[in-house]
Amino acid sequence: MKTFKNALVILAGGTGKRFKNKMPKQFNEINGENLIDFFLNRIDTNIFDLILIVTKKSNIKHTKHLLTKFPLLKFIYAEAGKNRQLSSLNALKKLKRYNPKNVLIHDSARPFCSQKLIAKILKSLNKNISAIPYILSPDKKVISKKEFNKKIKLIQTPQGFNYNAIFKAHVSTKLFNAKDDSELLSEKELNFIKGEKLNIKITYPEDLNFFKLFLKPIFKSGIGYDIHRIDIKTKKGLKLCGVNINFNKLIGHSDADVGIHAICDSIFGALSMNDIGYYFSNTNPKWKNKNSEHFLKFARDKLKENNFFIANLDINFICEKPNISKYRKEMISNLSSLLKIPKKIISIKATSNEKIGFIGDGLGIAAESIVQITNEKLY
Ligand code: ZN
Protein backbone atom coordinates (compact mmCIF):
# COMPACT_ATOMS: atom_id res chain seq x y z
CA MET A 1 0.00 0.00 0.00
CA LYS A 2 1.18 3.51 -0.84
CA THR A 3 2.35 5.39 2.22
CA PHE A 4 0.94 8.87 2.55
CA LYS A 5 3.39 11.32 3.99
CA ASN A 6 1.64 14.66 3.72
CA ALA A 7 -2.06 15.35 3.53
CA LEU A 8 -3.58 18.79 3.08
CA VAL A 9 -7.02 19.52 4.47
CA ILE A 10 -8.82 22.58 3.11
CA LEU A 11 -11.78 23.64 5.21
CA ALA A 12 -14.35 25.14 2.86
CA GLY A 13 -17.56 24.51 4.72
CA GLY A 14 -18.32 28.19 5.47
CA THR A 15 -21.53 29.68 4.21
CA GLY A 16 -20.19 33.22 3.89
CA LYS A 17 -22.71 34.94 6.13
CA ARG A 18 -20.81 38.22 5.86
CA PHE A 19 -21.02 38.05 2.07
CA LYS A 20 -24.28 39.30 0.66
CA ASN A 21 -24.60 36.94 -2.30
CA LYS A 22 -25.61 33.33 -1.91
CA MET A 23 -22.26 31.97 -3.03
CA PRO A 24 -19.96 31.23 -0.06
CA LYS A 25 -16.92 33.51 -0.23
CA GLN A 26 -14.41 30.70 -0.83
CA PHE A 27 -16.06 30.02 -4.19
CA ASN A 28 -16.22 33.64 -5.37
CA GLU A 29 -14.10 34.01 -8.47
CA ILE A 30 -11.51 36.70 -9.00
CA ASN A 31 -9.98 36.67 -12.48
CA GLY A 32 -11.31 33.17 -12.99
CA GLU A 33 -9.91 31.74 -9.76
CA ASN A 34 -11.81 31.04 -6.57
CA LEU A 35 -10.02 31.20 -3.21
CA ILE A 36 -9.07 27.51 -3.33
CA ASP A 37 -7.72 27.74 -6.90
CA PHE A 38 -5.79 30.84 -5.97
CA PHE A 39 -4.11 29.09 -3.05
CA LEU A 40 -3.36 25.83 -4.89
CA ASN A 41 -2.07 27.65 -7.98
CA ARG A 42 0.61 29.38 -5.97
CA ILE A 43 2.02 26.53 -3.93
CA ASP A 44 3.93 23.39 -4.80
CA THR A 45 1.02 20.95 -4.61
CA ASN A 46 3.28 18.00 -5.44
CA ILE A 47 4.48 17.82 -1.84
CA PHE A 48 1.01 16.60 -0.87
CA ASP A 49 0.03 13.00 -1.50
CA LEU A 50 -3.57 13.82 -0.86
CA ILE A 51 -5.79 16.91 -0.73
CA LEU A 52 -9.00 16.68 1.21
CA ILE A 53 -11.62 19.36 0.73
CA VAL A 54 -14.22 19.71 3.45
CA THR A 55 -17.38 21.31 2.17
CA LYS A 56 -21.12 20.97 1.98
CA LYS A 57 -22.27 18.42 -0.59
CA SER A 58 -24.10 21.15 -2.50
CA ASN A 59 -20.83 23.06 -2.97
CA ILE A 60 -18.65 20.21 -4.23
CA LYS A 61 -19.53 21.33 -7.76
CA HIS A 62 -17.44 24.48 -7.24
CA THR A 63 -14.31 22.37 -6.76
CA LYS A 64 -14.77 19.69 -9.43
CA HIS A 65 -12.65 21.65 -11.95
CA LEU A 66 -9.63 21.06 -9.69
CA LEU A 67 -9.59 17.42 -10.77
CA THR A 68 -8.76 18.44 -14.35
CA LYS A 69 -6.61 21.39 -13.34
CA PHE A 70 -4.37 19.22 -11.16
CA PRO A 71 -4.61 15.79 -12.81
CA LEU A 72 -1.67 14.38 -10.87
CA LEU A 73 -3.15 15.15 -7.47
CA LYS A 74 -5.44 12.96 -5.44
CA PHE A 75 -8.50 14.86 -4.21
CA ILE A 76 -11.01 13.48 -1.75
CA TYR A 77 -13.96 15.07 -0.01
CA ALA A 78 -15.43 15.14 3.48
CA GLU A 79 -18.75 16.60 4.55
CA ALA A 80 -18.63 19.87 6.49
CA GLY A 81 -19.65 19.58 10.13
CA LYS A 82 -21.90 21.88 12.15
CA ASN A 83 -18.88 23.91 13.23
CA ARG A 84 -15.20 24.17 12.39
CA GLN A 85 -14.13 21.61 14.99
CA LEU A 86 -16.54 19.02 13.63
CA SER A 87 -15.45 19.74 10.05
CA SER A 88 -11.83 19.08 11.06
CA LEU A 89 -12.85 15.91 12.84
CA ASN A 90 -14.74 14.67 9.76
CA ALA A 91 -11.62 15.33 7.69
CA LEU A 92 -9.33 13.48 10.10
CA LYS A 93 -11.71 10.50 10.21
CA LYS A 94 -11.73 10.38 6.43
CA LEU A 95 -7.93 10.40 6.39
CA LYS A 96 -7.68 7.46 8.78
CA ARG A 97 -7.56 4.83 6.05
CA TYR A 98 -4.70 6.68 4.34
CA ASN A 99 -2.84 7.11 7.64
CA PRO A 100 -0.69 10.08 6.59
CA LYS A 101 2.33 11.03 8.67
CA ASN A 102 1.58 14.74 8.60
CA VAL A 103 -1.56 16.73 8.04
CA LEU A 104 -1.84 20.43 7.31
CA ILE A 105 -5.23 21.89 8.17
CA HIS A 106 -5.95 25.07 6.27
CA ASP A 107 -8.86 27.51 6.02
CA SER A 108 -9.93 28.20 2.45
CA ALA A 109 -10.38 31.84 3.49
CA ARG A 110 -6.59 32.27 3.71
CA PRO A 111 -5.60 32.01 0.05
CA PHE A 112 -2.42 34.09 0.33
CA CYS A 113 -0.35 31.59 2.33
CA SER A 114 2.98 31.13 0.57
CA GLN A 115 4.88 28.00 -0.39
CA LYS A 116 7.65 29.24 1.92
CA LEU A 117 5.36 28.98 4.94
CA ILE A 118 4.17 25.52 3.94
CA ALA A 119 7.76 24.32 3.54
CA LYS A 120 8.59 25.77 6.96
CA ILE A 121 5.65 23.95 8.58
CA LEU A 122 6.58 20.63 6.99
CA LYS A 123 10.21 21.04 7.99
CA SER A 124 9.20 21.81 11.57
CA LEU A 125 7.03 18.66 11.65
CA ASN A 126 10.18 16.57 11.16
CA LYS A 127 11.03 17.36 14.77
CA ASN A 128 7.76 18.47 16.34
CA ILE A 129 4.24 17.23 16.91
CA SER A 130 2.81 20.50 15.59
CA ALA A 131 3.77 23.66 13.73
CA ILE A 132 1.37 26.51 14.37
CA PRO A 133 2.06 29.77 12.53
CA TYR A 134 1.56 33.01 14.41
CA ILE A 135 2.20 36.69 13.83
CA LEU A 136 2.68 39.46 16.32
CA SER A 137 -0.11 41.97 16.32
CA PRO A 138 1.01 45.54 15.84
CA ASP A 139 -1.78 46.48 18.24
CA LYS A 140 -1.60 45.77 21.95
CA LYS A 141 -4.52 44.81 24.09
CA VAL A 142 -4.11 46.06 27.63
CA ILE A 143 -5.80 43.86 30.19
CA SER A 144 -3.74 44.64 33.27
CA LYS A 145 -0.45 46.28 34.16
CA LYS A 146 1.16 42.86 34.09
CA GLU A 147 -0.18 42.24 30.58
CA PHE A 148 0.96 45.62 29.39
CA ASN A 149 4.20 44.48 27.81
CA LYS A 150 2.86 41.24 26.42
CA LYS A 151 2.63 41.26 22.69
CA ILE A 152 -0.57 39.85 21.26
CA LYS A 153 0.01 36.82 19.08
CA LEU A 154 -2.39 35.96 16.31
CA ILE A 155 -2.71 32.36 15.16
CA GLN A 156 -2.95 31.46 11.47
CA THR A 157 -3.49 28.46 9.25
CA PRO A 158 -2.31 26.17 7.75
CA GLN A 159 -1.49 24.46 10.99
CA GLY A 160 0.68 21.40 10.69
CA PHE A 161 0.30 18.32 12.85
CA ASN A 162 1.49 14.83 13.29
CA TYR A 163 -1.64 13.07 12.04
CA ASN A 164 -1.94 10.58 14.90
CA ALA A 165 -1.49 13.28 17.54
CA ILE A 166 -4.14 15.64 16.16
CA PHE A 167 -6.58 12.80 15.52
CA LYS A 168 -6.17 11.62 19.12
CA ALA A 169 -6.61 15.20 20.38
CA HIS A 170 -9.84 15.59 18.42
CA VAL A 171 -11.31 12.29 19.57
CA SER A 172 -10.50 12.82 23.24
CA THR A 173 -11.16 16.56 23.65
CA LYS A 174 -13.82 17.95 25.94
CA LEU A 175 -14.11 21.09 23.81
CA PHE A 176 -16.99 21.19 21.37
CA ASN A 177 -16.59 24.45 19.47
CA ALA A 178 -12.86 25.07 19.15
CA LYS A 179 -12.05 27.89 16.74
CA ASP A 180 -8.87 26.20 15.59
CA ASP A 181 -7.18 22.84 15.83
CA SER A 182 -4.20 23.94 17.90
CA GLU A 183 -6.56 24.62 20.82
CA LEU A 184 -7.02 20.89 21.22
CA LEU A 185 -3.35 20.09 21.79
CA SER A 186 -1.65 19.94 25.15
CA GLU A 187 0.90 22.61 26.10
CA LYS A 188 3.82 20.33 25.43
CA GLU A 189 2.56 19.37 21.98
CA LEU A 190 2.28 23.00 20.88
CA ASN A 191 5.05 24.38 18.70
CA PHE A 192 4.70 27.89 17.31
CA ILE A 193 6.50 29.14 14.24
CA LYS A 194 6.56 32.55 12.58
CA GLY A 195 3.63 33.02 10.20
CA GLU A 196 3.18 35.63 7.49
CA LYS A 197 1.62 39.08 7.71
CA LEU A 198 0.22 38.69 4.20
CA ASN A 199 -1.48 35.42 5.07
CA ILE A 200 -4.64 37.31 5.93
CA LYS A 201 -8.11 35.91 6.27
CA ILE A 202 -10.76 36.96 3.79
CA THR A 203 -13.65 37.83 6.08
CA TYR A 204 -15.52 40.78 4.60
CA PRO A 205 -16.39 41.48 0.94
CA GLU A 206 -13.93 44.38 0.87
CA ASP A 207 -11.13 41.97 1.79
CA LEU A 208 -11.38 40.64 -1.77
CA ASN A 209 -9.55 43.84 -2.78
CA PHE A 210 -6.39 42.27 -1.35
CA PHE A 211 -6.32 40.05 -4.41
CA LYS A 212 -5.33 43.07 -6.46
CA LEU A 213 -2.01 43.15 -4.59
CA PHE A 214 -1.26 39.61 -5.67
CA LEU A 215 -2.40 39.71 -9.25
CA LYS A 216 0.31 40.51 -11.71
CA PRO A 217 -0.86 42.48 -14.75
CA ILE A 218 -0.80 40.61 -18.03
CA PHE A 219 0.65 42.38 -21.06
CA LYS A 220 0.22 41.11 -24.61
CA SER A 221 1.20 42.68 -27.92
CA GLY A 222 0.02 42.37 -31.49
CA ILE A 223 1.30 43.43 -34.87
CA GLY A 224 -0.70 44.40 -37.94
CA TYR A 225 0.28 45.30 -41.49
CA ASP A 226 -1.79 46.30 -44.50
CA ILE A 227 -1.23 47.77 -47.93
CA HIS A 228 -3.62 49.09 -50.56
CA ARG A 229 -3.07 50.27 -54.12
CA ILE A 230 -3.76 53.92 -54.95
CA ASP A 231 -6.54 54.49 -57.48
CA ILE A 232 -4.72 56.94 -59.75
CA LYS A 233 -7.90 57.66 -61.71
CA THR A 234 -9.43 59.45 -58.73
CA LYS A 235 -8.47 62.78 -57.20
CA LYS A 236 -10.10 62.45 -53.79
CA GLY A 237 -11.72 59.94 -51.45
CA LEU A 238 -8.72 58.78 -49.40
CA LYS A 239 -9.54 57.77 -45.85
CA LEU A 240 -6.86 57.04 -43.26
CA CYS A 241 -7.73 56.21 -39.65
CA GLY A 242 -11.24 57.43 -40.38
CA VAL A 243 -10.06 60.88 -41.54
CA ASN A 244 -11.06 62.08 -45.03
CA ILE A 245 -8.06 63.33 -46.98
CA ASN A 246 -8.11 65.21 -50.24
CA PHE A 247 -6.03 62.69 -52.16
CA ASN A 248 -6.52 59.74 -54.53
CA LYS A 249 -8.49 57.01 -52.86
CA LEU A 250 -7.24 53.51 -52.22
CA ILE A 251 -8.59 50.45 -53.99
CA GLY A 252 -10.28 47.92 -51.75
CA HIS A 253 -13.43 45.96 -51.06
CA SER A 254 -14.39 48.10 -48.07
CA ASP A 255 -13.46 51.79 -47.80
CA ALA A 256 -9.80 50.63 -47.93
CA ASP A 257 -8.78 52.46 -44.74
CA VAL A 258 -5.33 50.91 -44.56
CA GLY A 259 -4.61 52.47 -41.14
CA ILE A 260 -7.67 51.03 -39.46
CA HIS A 261 -7.11 47.64 -41.10
CA ALA A 262 -3.57 47.46 -39.67
CA ILE A 263 -4.84 48.52 -36.22
CA CYS A 264 -7.60 45.87 -36.29
CA ASP A 265 -5.08 43.17 -37.18
CA SER A 266 -2.75 44.23 -34.37
CA ILE A 267 -5.62 44.04 -31.84
CA PHE A 268 -6.72 40.65 -33.18
CA GLY A 269 -3.09 39.50 -32.93
CA ALA A 270 -2.78 40.63 -29.32
CA LEU A 271 -5.98 38.73 -28.52
CA SER A 272 -4.65 35.64 -30.36
CA MET A 273 -7.51 35.84 -32.85
CA ASN A 274 -7.55 35.38 -36.63
CA ASP A 275 -6.75 38.14 -39.15
CA ILE A 276 -9.20 40.80 -40.34
CA GLY A 277 -10.02 38.88 -43.54
CA TYR A 278 -11.34 36.01 -41.46
CA TYR A 279 -14.00 38.17 -39.82
CA PHE A 280 -14.63 40.57 -42.73
CA SER A 281 -13.99 38.66 -45.93
CA ASN A 282 -13.28 40.79 -49.02
CA THR A 283 -15.59 38.55 -51.05
CA ASN A 284 -18.58 39.09 -48.79
CA PRO A 285 -20.93 41.69 -50.37
CA LYS A 286 -21.94 42.70 -46.86
CA TRP A 287 -18.60 44.51 -46.43
CA LYS A 288 -18.60 46.16 -49.86
CA ASN A 289 -17.67 49.85 -49.42
CA LYS A 290 -18.11 49.35 -45.68
CA ASN A 291 -16.87 52.06 -43.36
CA SER A 292 -13.83 50.50 -41.65
CA GLU A 293 -14.78 52.13 -38.37
CA HIS A 294 -17.23 49.25 -38.13
CA PHE A 295 -14.29 46.78 -38.07
CA LEU A 296 -12.49 48.83 -35.45
CA LYS A 297 -15.56 48.83 -33.21
CA PHE A 298 -15.70 45.05 -33.56
CA ALA A 299 -12.06 44.88 -32.39
CA ARG A 300 -12.87 47.23 -29.50
CA ASP A 301 -15.76 44.97 -28.44
CA LYS A 302 -13.44 41.94 -28.53
CA LEU A 303 -11.04 43.72 -26.18
CA LYS A 304 -13.92 44.43 -23.81
CA GLU A 305 -15.23 40.86 -23.99
CA ASN A 306 -11.79 39.55 -23.05
CA ASN A 307 -11.31 42.15 -20.32
CA PHE A 308 -8.32 43.83 -21.94
CA PHE A 309 -7.41 47.49 -22.29
CA ILE A 310 -5.07 49.14 -24.75
CA ALA A 311 -1.84 50.23 -23.06
CA ASN A 312 -0.47 51.89 -26.18
CA LEU A 313 -0.98 51.97 -29.91
CA ASP A 314 1.77 52.78 -32.39
CA ILE A 315 0.93 53.24 -36.08
CA ASN A 316 3.36 53.77 -38.90
CA PHE A 317 2.40 54.79 -42.44
CA ILE A 318 4.70 54.09 -45.35
CA CYS A 319 3.97 56.27 -48.38
CA GLU A 320 5.39 59.01 -50.56
CA LYS A 321 2.20 61.08 -50.42
CA PRO A 322 0.07 62.53 -48.85
CA ASN A 323 1.88 64.32 -46.06
CA ILE A 324 0.61 62.33 -43.05
CA SER A 325 1.87 64.79 -40.43
CA LYS A 326 -0.79 67.27 -41.59
CA TYR A 327 -3.53 64.85 -40.52
CA ARG A 328 -1.81 63.32 -37.51
CA LYS A 329 -3.73 65.25 -34.86
CA GLU A 330 -7.09 64.59 -36.46
CA MET A 331 -6.33 60.85 -36.83
CA ILE A 332 -5.27 60.53 -33.19
CA SER A 333 -8.40 62.33 -32.07
CA ASN A 334 -10.60 60.11 -34.22
CA LEU A 335 -8.95 56.88 -33.02
CA SER A 336 -9.17 58.08 -29.43
CA SER A 337 -12.93 58.49 -29.67
CA LEU A 338 -13.48 55.30 -31.70
CA LEU A 339 -11.44 53.13 -29.33
CA LYS A 340 -12.37 55.13 -26.21
CA ILE A 341 -8.73 55.50 -25.21
CA PRO A 342 -6.72 58.61 -24.30
CA LYS A 343 -4.92 60.45 -27.09
CA LYS A 344 -1.64 60.34 -25.20
CA ILE A 345 -1.28 56.56 -25.73
CA ILE A 346 -1.66 56.80 -29.52
CA SER A 347 1.24 57.50 -31.82
CA ILE A 348 1.04 58.05 -35.55
CA LYS A 349 4.24 58.22 -37.55
CA ALA A 350 5.06 58.12 -41.23
CA THR A 351 7.98 57.39 -43.44
CA SER A 352 8.53 57.52 -47.17
CA ASN A 353 9.93 54.59 -49.08
CA GLU A 354 12.75 56.71 -50.52
CA LYS A 355 11.20 56.37 -54.00
CA ILE A 356 12.02 52.67 -54.01
CA GLY A 357 9.63 50.06 -55.35
CA PHE A 358 5.85 50.03 -55.57
CA ILE A 359 5.29 52.43 -52.67
CA GLY A 360 8.22 54.59 -53.75
CA ASP A 361 6.60 54.97 -57.14
CA GLY A 362 3.55 56.41 -55.36
CA LEU A 363 1.33 53.47 -56.27
CA GLY A 364 0.27 52.42 -52.81
CA ILE A 365 0.04 53.20 -49.11
CA ALA A 366 1.06 50.75 -46.41
CA ALA A 367 0.45 50.91 -42.67
CA GLU A 368 1.80 48.94 -39.75
CA SER A 369 0.49 48.92 -36.22
CA ILE A 370 1.75 47.59 -32.93
CA VAL A 371 -0.56 47.48 -29.96
CA GLN A 372 0.05 46.49 -26.37
CA ILE A 373 -2.91 45.39 -24.30
CA THR A 374 -3.22 44.75 -20.58
CA ASN A 375 -5.81 43.32 -18.20
CA GLU A 376 -5.38 46.25 -15.85
CA LYS A 377 -6.85 49.63 -16.72
CA LEU A 378 -3.96 52.08 -16.68
CA TYR A 379 -5.96 55.25 -17.31
ZN1 ZN B 1 -6.99 46.59 -45.97
Side-chain angles (χ1 to χ4, degrees), residues 225-228 251-254 256-262 276 292 295:
Y225 172 82
D226 195 24
I227 184 164
H228 282 256
I251 299 168
H253 183 64
S254 63
D257 192 326
V258 69
I260 286 187
H261 295 180
I276 190 169
S292 292
F295 310 148

PDB file of all heavy atoms in Angstrom, residues 225-228 251-254 256-262 276 292 295, ligand 1:
ATOM      1  N   TYR A 225      -0.276  44.637 -40.302  1.00  0.00           N
ATOM      2  CA  TYR A 225       0.284  45.295 -41.493  1.00  0.00           C
ATOM      3  C   TYR A 225      -0.761  45.232 -42.583  1.00  0.00           C
ATOM      4  O   TYR A 225      -1.468  44.239 -42.732  1.00  0.00           O
ATOM      5  CB  TYR A 225       1.565  44.566 -41.932  1.00  0.00           C
ATOM      6  CG  TYR A 225       2.104  45.060 -43.264  1.00  0.00           C
ATOM      7  CD1 TYR A 225       2.878  46.207 -43.329  1.00  0.00           C
ATOM      8  CD2 TYR A 225       1.816  44.377 -44.445  1.00  0.00           C
ATOM      9  CE1 TYR A 225       3.354  46.678 -44.550  1.00  0.00           C
ATOM     10  CE2 TYR A 225       2.290  44.843 -45.671  1.00  0.00           C
ATOM     11  CZ  TYR A 225       3.060  45.998 -45.716  1.00  0.00           C
ATOM     12  OH  TYR A 225       3.521  46.459 -46.918  1.00  0.00           O
ATOM     13  N   ASP A 226      -0.856  46.319 -43.363  1.00  0.00           N
ATOM     14  CA  ASP A 226      -1.791  46.302 -44.495  1.00  0.00           C
ATOM     15  C   ASP A 226      -1.259  47.212 -45.592  1.00  0.00           C
ATOM     16  O   ASP A 226      -0.497  48.150 -45.324  1.00  0.00           O
ATOM     17  CB  ASP A 226      -3.184  46.768 -44.046  1.00  0.00           C
ATOM     18  CG  ASP A 226      -4.252  46.428 -45.080  1.00  0.00           C
ATOM     19  OD1 ASP A 226      -4.044  45.489 -45.869  1.00  0.00           O
ATOM     20  OD2 ASP A 226      -5.296  47.110 -45.100  1.00  0.00           O
ATOM     21  N   ILE A 227      -1.635  46.919 -46.796  1.00  0.00           N
ATOM     22  CA  ILE A 227      -1.231  47.765 -47.926  1.00  0.00           C
ATOM     23  C   ILE A 227      -2.365  47.799 -48.946  1.00  0.00           C
ATOM     24  O   ILE A 227      -3.046  46.786 -49.148  1.00  0.00           O
ATOM     25  CB  ILE A 227       0.096  47.247 -48.543  1.00  0.00           C
ATOM     26  CG1 ILE A 227       0.594  48.176 -49.658  1.00  0.00           C
ATOM     27  CG2 ILE A 227      -0.032  45.812 -49.068  1.00  0.00           C
ATOM     28  CD1 ILE A 227       2.058  47.950 -50.039  1.00  0.00           C
ATOM     29  N   HIS A 228      -2.605  48.967 -49.508  1.00  0.00           N
ATOM     30  CA  HIS A 228      -3.616  49.093 -50.562  1.00  0.00           C
ATOM     31  C   HIS A 228      -3.030  49.905 -51.716  1.00  0.00           C
ATOM     32  O   HIS A 228      -2.216  50.801 -51.509  1.00  0.00           O
ATOM     33  CB  HIS A 228      -4.885  49.787 -50.042  1.00  0.00           C
ATOM     34  CG  HIS A 228      -5.763  48.884 -49.232  1.00  0.00           C
ATOM     35  ND1 HIS A 228      -6.919  48.342 -49.722  1.00  0.00           N
ATOM     36  CD2 HIS A 228      -5.640  48.420 -47.960  1.00  0.00           C
ATOM     37  CE1 HIS A 228      -7.479  47.598 -48.784  1.00  0.00           C
ATOM     38  NE2 HIS A 228      -6.714  47.620 -47.698  1.00  0.00           N
ATOM     39  N   ILE A 251      -7.717  51.483 -53.433  1.00  0.00           N
ATOM     40  CA  ILE A 251      -8.592  50.447 -53.988  1.00  0.00           C
ATOM     41  C   ILE A 251      -8.773  49.349 -52.939  1.00  0.00           C
ATOM     42  O   ILE A 251      -7.810  48.871 -52.346  1.00  0.00           O
ATOM     43  CB  ILE A 251      -7.978  49.846 -55.277  1.00  0.00           C
ATOM     44  CG1 ILE A 251      -7.813  50.950 -56.336  1.00  0.00           C
ATOM     45  CG2 ILE A 251      -8.838  48.702 -55.816  1.00  0.00           C
ATOM     46  CD1 ILE A 251      -6.958  50.541 -57.536  1.00  0.00           C
ATOM     47  N   GLY A 252     -10.012  48.983 -52.719  1.00  0.00           N
ATOM     48  CA  GLY A 252     -10.283  47.920 -51.750  1.00  0.00           C
ATOM     49  C   GLY A 252     -11.741  47.533 -51.766  1.00  0.00           C
ATOM     50  O   GLY A 252     -12.566  48.228 -52.377  1.00  0.00           O
ATOM     51  N   HIS A 253     -12.062  46.447 -51.107  1.00  0.00           N
ATOM     52  CA  HIS A 253     -13.435  45.957 -51.057  1.00  0.00           C
ATOM     53  C   HIS A 253     -14.275  46.854 -50.149  1.00  0.00           C
ATOM     54  O   HIS A 253     -15.380  47.255 -50.492  1.00  0.00           O
ATOM     55  CB  HIS A 253     -13.430  44.508 -50.531  1.00  0.00           C
ATOM     56  CG  HIS A 253     -14.784  43.875 -50.510  1.00  0.00           C
ATOM     57  ND1 HIS A 253     -15.514  43.634 -51.657  1.00  0.00           N
ATOM     58  CD2 HIS A 253     -15.554  43.447 -49.478  1.00  0.00           C
ATOM     59  CE1 HIS A 253     -16.664  43.071 -51.324  1.00  0.00           C
ATOM     60  NE2 HIS A 253     -16.718  42.950 -50.009  1.00  0.00           N
ATOM     61  N   SER A 254     -13.697  47.197 -49.004  1.00  0.00           N
ATOM     62  CA  SER A 254     -14.388  48.103 -48.072  1.00  0.00           C
ATOM     63  C   SER A 254     -13.984  49.537 -48.460  1.00  0.00           C
ATOM     64  O   SER A 254     -13.685  49.797 -49.607  1.00  0.00           O
ATOM     65  CB  SER A 254     -13.974  47.789 -46.644  1.00  0.00           C
ATOM     66  OG  SER A 254     -12.590  48.034 -46.488  1.00  0.00           O
ATOM     67  N   ALA A 256     -11.255  50.730 -47.759  1.00  0.00           N
ATOM     68  CA  ALA A 256      -9.796  50.627 -47.931  1.00  0.00           C
ATOM     69  C   ALA A 256      -8.992  51.494 -46.971  1.00  0.00           C
ATOM     70  O   ALA A 256      -7.919  51.985 -47.315  1.00  0.00           O
ATOM     71  CB  ALA A 256      -9.409  50.915 -49.373  1.00  0.00           C
ATOM     72  N   ASP A 257      -9.507  51.671 -45.753  1.00  0.00           N
ATOM     73  CA  ASP A 257      -8.777  52.456 -44.741  1.00  0.00           C
ATOM     74  C   ASP A 257      -7.622  51.596 -44.206  1.00  0.00           C
ATOM     75  O   ASP A 257      -7.758  50.822 -43.257  1.00  0.00           O
ATOM     76  CB  ASP A 257      -9.728  52.868 -43.607  1.00  0.00           C
ATOM     77  CG  ASP A 257      -9.111  53.907 -42.683  1.00  0.00           C
ATOM     78  OD1 ASP A 257      -7.883  53.850 -42.478  1.00  0.00           O
ATOM     79  OD2 ASP A 257      -9.857  54.758 -42.170  1.00  0.00           O
ATOM     80  N   VAL A 258      -6.483  51.759 -44.836  1.00  0.00           N
ATOM     81  CA  VAL A 258      -5.328  50.914 -44.563  1.00  0.00           C
ATOM     82  C   VAL A 258      -4.859  51.031 -43.095  1.00  0.00           C
ATOM     83  O   VAL A 258      -4.408  50.067 -42.487  1.00  0.00           O
ATOM     84  CB  VAL A 258      -4.221  51.238 -45.610  1.00  0.00           C
ATOM     85  CG1 VAL A 258      -3.646  52.627 -45.384  1.00  0.00           C
ATOM     86  CG2 VAL A 258      -3.149  50.190 -45.660  1.00  0.00           C
ATOM     87  N   GLY A 259      -5.011  52.238 -42.541  1.00  0.00           N
ATOM     88  CA  GLY A 259      -4.606  52.470 -41.145  1.00  0.00           C
ATOM     89  C   GLY A 259      -5.457  51.649 -40.193  1.00  0.00           C
ATOM     90  O   GLY A 259      -4.936  50.909 -39.348  1.00  0.00           O
ATOM     91  N   ILE A 260      -6.763  51.768 -40.349  1.00  0.00           N
ATOM     92  CA  ILE A 260      -7.671  51.030 -39.463  1.00  0.00           C
ATOM     93  C   ILE A 260      -7.502  49.523 -39.637  1.00  0.00           C
ATOM     94  O   ILE A 260      -7.520  48.771 -38.658  1.00  0.00           O
ATOM     95  CB  ILE A 260      -9.141  51.480 -39.678  1.00  0.00           C
ATOM     96  CG1 ILE A 260      -9.320  52.868 -39.049  1.00  0.00           C
ATOM     97  CG2 ILE A 260     -10.125  50.480 -39.064  1.00  0.00           C
ATOM     98  CD1 ILE A 260     -10.744  53.387 -39.012  1.00  0.00           C
ATOM     99  N   HIS A 261      -7.286  49.080 -40.870  1.00  0.00           N
ATOM    100  CA  HIS A 261      -7.111  47.637 -41.095  1.00  0.00           C
ATOM    101  C   HIS A 261      -5.880  47.115 -40.335  1.00  0.00           C
ATOM    102  O   HIS A 261      -5.924  46.048 -39.724  1.00  0.00           O
ATOM    103  CB  HIS A 261      -6.986  47.323 -42.591  1.00  0.00           C
ATOM    104  CG  HIS A 261      -8.231  47.638 -43.363  1.00  0.00           C
ATOM    105  ND1 HIS A 261      -8.352  47.442 -44.708  1.00  0.00           N
ATOM    106  CD2 HIS A 261      -9.434  48.152 -42.953  1.00  0.00           C
ATOM    107  CE1 HIS A 261      -9.560  47.817 -45.118  1.00  0.00           C
ATOM    108  NE2 HIS A 261     -10.236  48.256 -44.055  1.00  0.00           N
ATOM    109  N   ALA A 262      -4.790  47.880 -40.382  1.00  0.00           N
ATOM    110  CA  ALA A 262      -3.574  47.464 -39.668  1.00  0.00           C
ATOM    111  C   ALA A 262      -3.826  47.445 -38.155  1.00  0.00           C
ATOM    112  O   ALA A 262      -3.405  46.518 -37.455  1.00  0.00           O
ATOM    113  CB  ALA A 262      -2.418  48.406 -40.007  1.00  0.00           C
ATOM    114  N   ILE A 276      -7.999  40.024 -39.997  1.00  0.00           N
ATOM    115  CA  ILE A 276      -9.202  40.803 -40.336  1.00  0.00           C
ATOM    116  C   ILE A 276     -10.030  40.155 -41.460  1.00  0.00           C
ATOM    117  O   ILE A 276     -11.254  40.154 -41.417  1.00  0.00           O
ATOM    118  CB  ILE A 276      -8.815  42.277 -40.663  1.00  0.00           C
ATOM    119  CG1 ILE A 276     -10.052  43.161 -40.786  1.00  0.00           C
ATOM    120  CG2 ILE A 276      -7.922  42.369 -41.892  1.00  0.00           C
ATOM    121  CD1 ILE A 276      -9.751  44.647 -40.850  1.00  0.00           C
ATOM    122  N   SER A 292     -14.714  51.351 -42.464  1.00  0.00           N
ATOM    123  CA  SER A 292     -13.829  50.504 -41.655  1.00  0.00           C
ATOM    124  C   SER A 292     -13.958  50.755 -40.150  1.00  0.00           C
ATOM    125  O   SER A 292     -13.492  49.950 -39.342  1.00  0.00           O
ATOM    126  CB  SER A 292     -12.372  50.686 -42.081  1.00  0.00           C
ATOM    127  OG  SER A 292     -12.198  50.164 -43.376  1.00  0.00           O
ATOM    128  N   PHE A 295     -15.232  47.860 -38.425  1.00  0.00           N
ATOM    129  CA  PHE A 295     -14.292  46.778 -38.069  1.00  0.00           C
ATOM    130  C   PHE A 295     -13.554  47.115 -36.763  1.00  0.00           C
ATOM    131  O   PHE A 295     -13.299  46.255 -35.937  1.00  0.00           O
ATOM    132  CB  PHE A 295     -13.262  46.546 -39.193  1.00  0.00           C
ATOM    133  CG  PHE A 295     -13.850  46.399 -40.578  1.00  0.00           C
ATOM    134  CD1 PHE A 295     -13.148  46.836 -41.703  1.00  0.00           C
ATOM    135  CD2 PHE A 295     -15.117  45.838 -40.761  1.00  0.00           C
ATOM    136  CE1 PHE A 295     -13.687  46.711 -42.983  1.00  0.00           C
ATOM    137  CE2 PHE A 295     -15.669  45.706 -42.043  1.00  0.00           C
ATOM    138  CZ  PHE A 295     -14.954  46.155 -43.144  1.00  0.00           C
TER     139      PHE A 295
HETATM  140 ZN    ZN B   1      -6.988  46.592 -45.969  1.00  0.00          ZN
END
